[in-house]
Amino acid sequence: QKEVEQNSGPLSVPEGAIASLNCTYSDRGSQSFFWYRQYSGKSPELIMFIYSNGDKEDGRFTAQLNKASQYVSLLIRDSQPSDSATYLCAVRIGGGADGLTFGKGTHLIIQP
Amino acid sequence: GAGVSQSPSNKVTEKGKDVELRCDPISGHTALYWYRQSLGQGLEFLIYFQGNSAPDKSGLPSDRFSAERTGGSVSTLTIQRTQQEDSAVYLCASSDGSGGNTIYFGEGSWLTVV
């Protein structure tokens, strides 16, 4: 059974602070990990993906992966009100084009 | 096209009727996925097509659900004898099918069964 777990929130963070979103997964065979952002009433849009242990930075976003502990996190620096959305963690088993298994998402609120 | 295109964007149907949802993937993408998202819930995998291979139907919730992909491009998801619990947004996504590829979503088809 593939499971991806996220705290549903809401997670409230003041503007300008660092938002930290966490995700754990059950299948040790998972090879690639994705973070999607979903605004209310909209479809998910890809923010970042990570395959290797460690950190991967892209602008204000940093993805962190720890395969031994089976968790992946997303840090958002200098949080903006426009970052308020639901953040979905997704995991792919294997290295091909298999479908992603999604968590239920964390609702992030950035307080002005 | 530039992105994944889905139609209709909204559909209201009566319980017991059949519905068809259409997806036109990004040009050149060989992999196509259908997901379902109920209100306040995460994404539920339904079915996956890769090239000419047999589709992965492991996520279809019942035999009322079926999907086909003609010519390796456009896909149709069919729900027969709709039930109220089928109300959700149905999201189609595509990818280029290579290892490490990313999945891009359409805007979804919002289905309401009354």
Side-chain angles (χ1 to χ4, degrees), chain A residues 36-66:
Chain A
Y36 283 80
R37 177 176 63 199
Q38 187 175 28
Y39 293 113
S40 180
K42 298 294 186 181
S43 61
E45 56 180 327
L46 180 69
I47 297 177
M48 289 189 71
F49 57 87
I50 185 168
Y51 308 132
S52 303
N53 276 325
D55 294 359
K56 179 181 179 182
E57 186 174 320
D58 183 0
R60 295 187 297 113
F61 299 94
T62 299
Q64 299 176 319
L65 175 60
N66 185 323

Side-chain angles (χ1 to χ4, degrees), chain A residues 19-98:
Chain A
S20 178
L21 304 162
N22 299 312
C23 171
T24 60
Y25 58 95
S26 62
D27 194 321
R28 285 194 173 274
S30 302
Q31 295 194 14
S32 45
F33 307 86
F34 302 78
W35 283 100
Y36 283 80
R37 177 176 63 199
Q38 187 175 28
Y39 293 113
S40 180
K42 298 294 186 181
S43 61
E45 56 180 327
L46 180 69
I47 297 177
M48 289 189 71
F49 57 87
I50 185 168
Y51 308 132
S52 303
N53 276 325
D55 294 359
K56 179 181 179 182
E57 186 174 320
D58 183 0
R60 295 187 297 113
F61 299 94
T62 299
Q64 299 176 319
L65 175 60
N66 185 323
K67 289 187 177 182
S69 300
Q70 294 177 243
Y71 84 77
V72 57
S73 62
L74 179 70
L75 302 178
I76 307 174
R77 290 182 299 282
D78 187 24
S79 298
Q80 304 297 310
S82 59
D83 294 328
S84 298
T86 296
Y87 289 80
L88 300 168
C89 173
V91 172
R92 173 181 287 131
I93 315 297
D98 301 331

Side-chain angles (χ1 to χ4, degrees), chain A residues 34 36 38 41-44 46 49 51 88 92 95-104, chain B residues 31 33 35 37 41-43 48 50 91 95 97-103 105-107 110:
Chain A
F34 302 78
Y36 283 80
Q38 187 175 28
K42 298 294 186 181
S43 61
L46 180 69
F49 57 87
Y51 308 132
L88 300 168
R92 173 181 287 131
D98 301 331
L100 300 179
T101 300
F102 283 83
K104 292 188 176 181
Chain B
Y33 314 80
Y35 285 85
Q37 188 174 32
Q41 299 298 309
L43 275 74
Y48 151 61
Q50 170 58 41
L91 290 160
S95 70
S98 62
N101 69 95
T102 55
I103 292 176
F105 284 87
E107 290 301 312
W110 294 75

